[in-house]
Amino acid sequence: MMKAAVAPKIENQTKVQEKVDLPWNVVVLNDPVNLMGYVTLVLQKVFGYPAEKAERMMMEVHEQGRSIVWSGNFEKAELYVSQLHAKQLRATMEKVK
Amino acid sequence: MKVVPTLEGGLKVELEADHDIEVLEMILTDAGQPEVLSAELAELMEASDDWDELMSPELWEMFYGHLAIVGKAVKAAKELGSLHIEKSSGDAWYSALNQARLRLEREYQLHSKGDLVMEDDVSRNAYIRDRFYCTLQTLLLDFVMGLND
């Protein structure tokens, strides 16, 4: 009984910690100028993603207008957005709902 | 104008007609003021209050730096009769061409206008330059820029 009562508490703490650590999405938005191959290359360079994953995200940007390319803490999200802006990609960040 | 990849991993643009150099000089004219692009990107960052103040100056300084590299190479091309894009300046070239294309899009809405873009000379010329810059960007992606650069 004791063990069963303690276990959910730890799980809750983990979930709360997860929310603190992972509250922001980095979003890449579509634009009519940036080339598809370039967007894929930038996602590989900035996030270290394998080609297939970067290409999948690029296609999502192209077809749906946006793609969440990374989630994590605020400071790191800001850093990633600044790196994407430096590559002239339209990027923003939003709080995970 | 003829573009060929070099053994060193760059591109060589051979100037064949008198107006070739003028087309290359238009890259800088079309790129306009990098402050506009960095301000546009900052507008996307509602989540961060001081983004424009902190990040934009660094960004437009970098964009200006890329334009300066391109300007210097185009100036040298005037004397040499050919333009050399070194592998190490591939990113700067791509950036300058992108700045030019982004400004042309902002100014003439080339992609949303469709065939209408061909109806007046100014828009048509802008469209042709955009296509030329895009071709150069594709060549940079194919032959110059890589994951490890």
Side-chain angles (χ1 to χ4, degrees):
Chain A
M1 285 288 280
M2 282 282 278
K3 275 185 184 174
V6 171
K9 265 191 175 176
I10 292 166
E11 198 183 329
N12 283 344
Q13 280 174 352
T14 309
K15 278 182 183 169
V16 169
Q17 188 60 42
E18 213 169 55
K19 276 189 178 175
V20 171
D21 287 343
L22 305 174
W24 292 89
N25 288 332
V26 172
V27 182
V28 173
L29 305 167
N30 194 28
D31 72 73
V33 167
N34 277 301
L35 301 178
M36 293 161 88
Y38 178 69
V39 175
T40 303
L41 182 68
V42 169
L43 292 175
Q44 286 179 268
K45 276 186 173 181
V46 171
F47 299 101
Y49 292 151
E52 298 76 27
K53 184 175 181 176
E55 216 169 291
R56 201 168 53 241
M57 288 173 161
M58 176 278 293
M59 283 309 292
E60 200 174 37
V61 174
H62 182 64
E63 288 168 356
Q64 294 172 34
R66 54 180 272 138
S67 177
I68 296 169
V69 295
W70 187 84
S71 297
N73 71 52
F74 184 86
E75 287 77 15
K76 211 162 178 189
E78 270 195 327
L79 176 70
Y80 281 139
V81 171
S82 70
Q83 289 175 339
L84 293 169
H85 283 186
K87 300 292 183 187
Q88 298 171 26
L89 295 196
R90 284 165 49 80
T92 187
M93 53 194 272
E94 58 188 23
K95 213 167 185 353
V96 174
K97 286 169 191 166
Chain B
M1 192 180 309
K2 192 157 64 182
V3 185
V4 288
T6 66
L7 290 174
E8 293 78 29
L11 291 178
K12 184 183 178 189
V13 182
E14 291 170 5
L15 306 177
E16 296 175 316
D18 290 343
H19 60 258
D20 284 354
I21 195 73
E22 290 165 23
V23 176
L24 292 170
E25 283 172 334
M26 283 303 290
I27 298 169
L28 299 185
T29 309
D30 285 334
Q33 304 291 314
E35 290 92 331
V36 178
L37 175 57
S38 58
E40 261 183 13
L41 292 169
E43 275 176 29
L44 300 169
M45 280 298 287
E46 287 170 2
S48 188
D49 299 335
D50 48 6
W51 187 268
D52 191 28
E53 195 182 326
L54 294 176
M55 302 305 295
S56 289
E58 195 181 326
L59 210 56
W60 62 252
E61 267 179 39
M62 188 177 70
F63 294 158
Y64 264 116
H66 296 153
L67 295 180
I69 289 169
V70 169
K72 203 173 160 187
V74 172
K75 199 175 170 187
K78 250 181 171 175
E79 291 167 19
L80 296 169
S82 60
L83 171 75
H84 296 265
I85 301 177
E86 308 297 337
K87 188 169 178 61
S88 59
S89 60
D91 280 350
W93 269 90
Y94 192 96
S95 163
L97 292 163
N98 223 44
Q99 289 178 59
R101 293 186 62 226
L102 285 165
R103 200 195 66 85
L104 288 175
E105 181 60 31
R106 203 182 301 130
E107 187 103 358
Y108 301 103
Q109 296 85 47
L110 301 175
H111 287 79
S112 58
K113 272 188 182 171
D115 290 345
L116 288 175
V117 86
M118 293 302 193
E119 285 188 354
D120 71 277
D121 287 349
V122 178
S123 298
R124 186 170 55 242
N125 289 342
Y127 178 77
I128 291 166
R129 293 201 301 282
D130 174 77
R131 292 297 82 200
F132 169 67
Y133 301 157
C134 183
T135 303
L136 261 187
Q137 283 188 310
T138 306
L139 291 169
L140 286 166
L141 273 177
D142 288 348
F143 295 104
V144 183
M145 299 162 74
L147 251 188
N148 301 317
D149 300 324

